[in-house]
Amino acid sequence: MKKMTKAQRIENRDGWLFMAPAMVIFLTLVVFAIIASFLLAFTEWNFLSGLKGIQFVGLDNFIKLFTRDRKFKMALGNTILYAVTVAPISILLALVFAYMINDKVYFKKFNRLCFFVPYISSMVALAAVFRFLFRSDGPINLILTTLGVQEVPKWLTNSTLCKIPIICVMVYAGIGFNLIVYMAALQNVPRELYEAAEVDGASKGKQFFKITLPMLSPTTFYLCIVRLIAAFKAFSAINIMGSSGNAPSLVTEIYANAFTSYKFGYASAEAWVLVAVILVVTAIQFWGQKKWVHY
């Protein structure tokens, strides 16, 4: 093995010194937090009792979650509902808009900006806007009243209807990212394929389904994973719109148990159930992508 020179040793030392602050932060706030959360999931601990109050309970937290905690089951169901609605709808709309904007249209850059601005905007601000839109006396109900609806829905207080504003704001916020990714992918589709299809007399619809969709399948696969994980972690929209009591998600339930009830052990168990759900869903997607993703 070749011996390092003094200059190389100094360079390596300087590199580790530059990396040290980031490594300390990563180990403290990420690695240590993950290990601590995993260990706490098997304990019962009220944060206010201090470290002496930690009691090992084994699998009791997980057993309680799936046998006696109705609110957890409701939160799990709501989280799955948000994921299976928000991700597909936002991806589908982004694909349609990207395909339209990528064609010969006026103000292409301006349109891209308009779609992308909600993604970089604060979810708190977007949720506040949608909360105003869906208020009992808000614009949505005013439009319904104008159309002749006698009894307007109570969007934000009804345990069933309150999911609709949440899904709407999450879809609205997610379209911009999906659209930019799709537009970048569309630039890499060879024009020769479309030219050959036109020579063969293929319509625009056939070109879209036979060329565009298969060529964009790796991008769609990536967006499915990213948007599903984002939907599973939904918190701000639900919390700000005041629906965490009527239609809680797993994240809002974890937050309530940890920072309202101070049941850190129980909240940690819920967090690891969420991790397991995300891992299972992601694994299923990787298994299924072999059948529809074209590389």
Side-chain angles (χ1 to χ4, degrees):
M1 185 175 179
K2 189 177 179 180
K3 190 176 181 180
M4 286 193 301
T5 64
K6 183 178 179 181
Q8 289 175 326
R9 289 197 298 270
I10 293 174
E11 185 177 353
N12 286 345
R13 182 201 63 190
D14 292 343
W16 282 107
L17 287 174
F18 277 112
M19 288 175 56
M23 290 296 295
V24 170
I25 293 173
F26 174 75
L27 292 173
T28 305
L29 300 182
V30 179
V31 176
F32 175 77
I34 291 174
I35 296 173
S37 173
F38 180 76
L39 296 176
L40 285 174
F42 301 96
T43 66
E44 182 178 333
W45 181 38
N46 187 314
F47 178 73
L48 299 179
S49 65
L51 295 177
K52 294 181 180 179
I54 298 178
Q55 297 180 358
F56 180 77
V57 295
L59 297 175
D60 285 0
N61 287 332
F62 295 96
I63 294 172
K64 182 181 177 181
L65 284 175
F66 291 101
T67 58
R68 302 194 297 273
D69 195 337
R70 295 179 59 185
K71 195 169 183 180
F72 168 78
K73 295 178 182 178
M74 180 174 65
L76 179 60
N78 290 338
T79 302
I80 294 174
L81 174 65
Y82 297 144
V84 299
T85 53
V86 171
I89 293 173
S90 62
I91 290 173
L92 178 61
L93 291 177
L95 175 60
V96 173
F97 292 141
Y99 187 73
M100 293 170 59
I101 295 176
N102 191 61
D103 206 353
K104 296 178 182 178
V105 296
Y106 294 107
F107 308 113
K108 184 180 293 187
K109 292 183 179 179
F110 177 74
N111 286 324
R112 285 203 305 259
L113 177 64
C114 290
F115 280 109
F116 193 66
V117 164
Y119 175 72
I120 60 176
S121 300
S122 169
M123 178 57 79
V124 175
L126 294 178
V129 171
F130 273 76
R131 180 181 173 86
F132 167 75
L133 291 175
F134 283 93
R135 280 191 336 185
S136 298
D137 57 346
I140 301 295
N141 281 348
L142 288 177
I143 293 173
L144 293 176
T145 303
T146 305
L147 295 175
V149 178
Q150 298 296 325
E151 189 173 347
V152 294
K154 296 180 180 179
W155 301 102
L156 300 177
T157 56
N158 187 289
S159 59
T160 301
L161 294 178
C162 67
K163 300 181 182 70
I164 296 176
I166 295 171
I167 292 171
C168 287
V169 68
M170 291 171 65
V171 169
Y172 178 72
I175 288 178
F177 175 80
N178 300 343
L179 181 136
I180 294 299
V181 174
Y182 267 131
M183 291 201 68
L186 284 169
Q187 303 301 315
N188 293 323
V189 179
R191 296 301 307 172
E192 294 82 2
L193 296 178
Y194 294 109
E195 293 170 0
E198 288 177 359
V199 171
D200 291 339
S203 64
K204 288 288 186 182
K206 279 191 174 181
Q207 291 179 33
F208 178 78
F209 287 103
K210 298 296 184 180
I211 299 175
T212 306
L213 278 183
M215 295 298 290
L216 294 180
S217 58
T219 304
T220 303
F221 172 62
Y222 162 74
L223 289 176
C224 284
I225 293 177
V226 172
R227 298 321 302 171
L228 276 172
I229 292 175
F232 275 117
K233 298 190 301 179
F235 173 76
S236 299
I238 303 169
N239 196 46
I240 297 301
M241 297 186 78
S243 300
S244 56
N246 297 321
S249 68
L250 276 181
V251 179
T252 60
E253 187 67 8
I254 292 167
Y255 180 85
N257 280 318
F259 300 106
T260 302
S261 302
Y262 299 108
K263 297 187 293 185
F264 273 57
Y266 197 70
S268 296
E270 290 178 314
W272 280 98
V273 171
L274 176 59
V275 171
V277 171
I278 293 175
L279 288 176
V280 169
V281 171
T282 305
I284 292 173
Q285 290 185 84
F286 271 98
W287 172 78
Q289 58 96 16
K290 299 175 182 178
K291 300 181 179 181
W292 64 276
V293 177
H294 303 276
Y295 291 102

